[in-house]
Amino acid sequence: MLMRTDPFRELDRLTQQFLGTNGTWSRPAPMPLDACRVGDEYVICFDLPGVDPDAIEVDVERNMLTVKAERRPRHQGDDVKWELSERPLGVFSRQVMLSDTLDPAGISADYDTGVLTLKIPIAEKAKPRKVEISHSGDRRQIQA
């Protein structure tokens, strides 16, 4: 049996159970994220420790990026007797509005060590570019 010595952690766990902060499909819990620009793309990292990659969905509709994931218990069955359960289970979801300067068709996703990383390229139309200046030479006409 596992013993715990932090009474405040137990109070937090009981509060989460009482308030029902474990996510459901109708009320998913939020997931933390980090976002930054690296060169010509935006990188968004979502923390999803313990989530099976097959339980992650990434959808883009117009400019709305939606990430949903479900964390299930690792051990299930009649012979399992839980002594302690602190890790949140259930459904997690996060929506991010993408600006028009990003190219949602070029999104790539990678899941490694519990972190989902999305890379979203900046649209060509939004990248800085040089404008060439043309000149038509000397327009003066010489009269004889």
Side-chain angles (χ1 to χ4, degrees), residues 107-123:
I107 294 176
S108 64
D110 179 59
Y111 184 68
D112 186 38
T113 62
V115 178
L116 174 66
T117 302
L118 302 180
K119 294 182 179 181
I120 309 166
I122 295 176

Side-chain angles (χ1 to χ4, degrees), residues 1-54:
M1 180 168 167
L2 299 175
M3 299 299 289
R4 181 194 324 232
T5 59
D6 185 358
F8 297 108
R9 184 173 290 182
E10 181 66 16
L11 182 61
D12 288 342
R13 185 186 65 78
L14 291 172
T15 303
Q16 284 181 346
Q17 281 183 330
F18 179 72
L19 296 176
T21 55
N22 282 348
T24 63
W25 284 107
S26 60
R27 278 197 177 172
M31 64 185 83
L33 68 82
D34 290 333
C36 63
R37 181 175 175 166
V38 179
D40 284 343
E41 61 188 7
Y42 274 89
V43 178
I44 305 175
C45 298
F46 298 88
D47 279 351
L48 296 170
V51 174
D52 187 318
D54 294 332

Side-chain angles (χ1 to χ4, degrees), residues 28 68 131:
K68 285 186 180 178
V131 176

Side-chain angles (χ1 to χ4, degrees), residues 43-109:
V43 178
I44 305 175
C45 298
F46 298 88
D47 279 351
L48 296 170
V51 174
D52 187 318
D54 294 332
I56 301 172
E57 295 178 12
V58 179
D59 297 311
V60 180
E61 185 175 335
R62 295 188 182 157
N63 286 0
M64 183 63 70
L65 171 74
T66 303
V67 177
K68 285 186 180 178
E70 184 176 9
R71 183 180 300 126
R72 301 173 185 109
R74 293 252 183 217
H75 305 287
Q76 297 178 349
D78 294 335
D79 61 337
V80 176
K81 294 179 183 169
W82 286 96
E83 299 289 332
L84 183 63
S85 179
E86 293 182 343
R87 297 172 41 201
L89 301 174
V91 180
F92 302 86
S93 180
R94 193 74 185 255
Q95 288 189 317
V96 177
M97 180 68 87
L98 303 177
S99 72
D100 291 335
T101 60
L102 298 177
D103 179 13
I107 294 176
S108 64

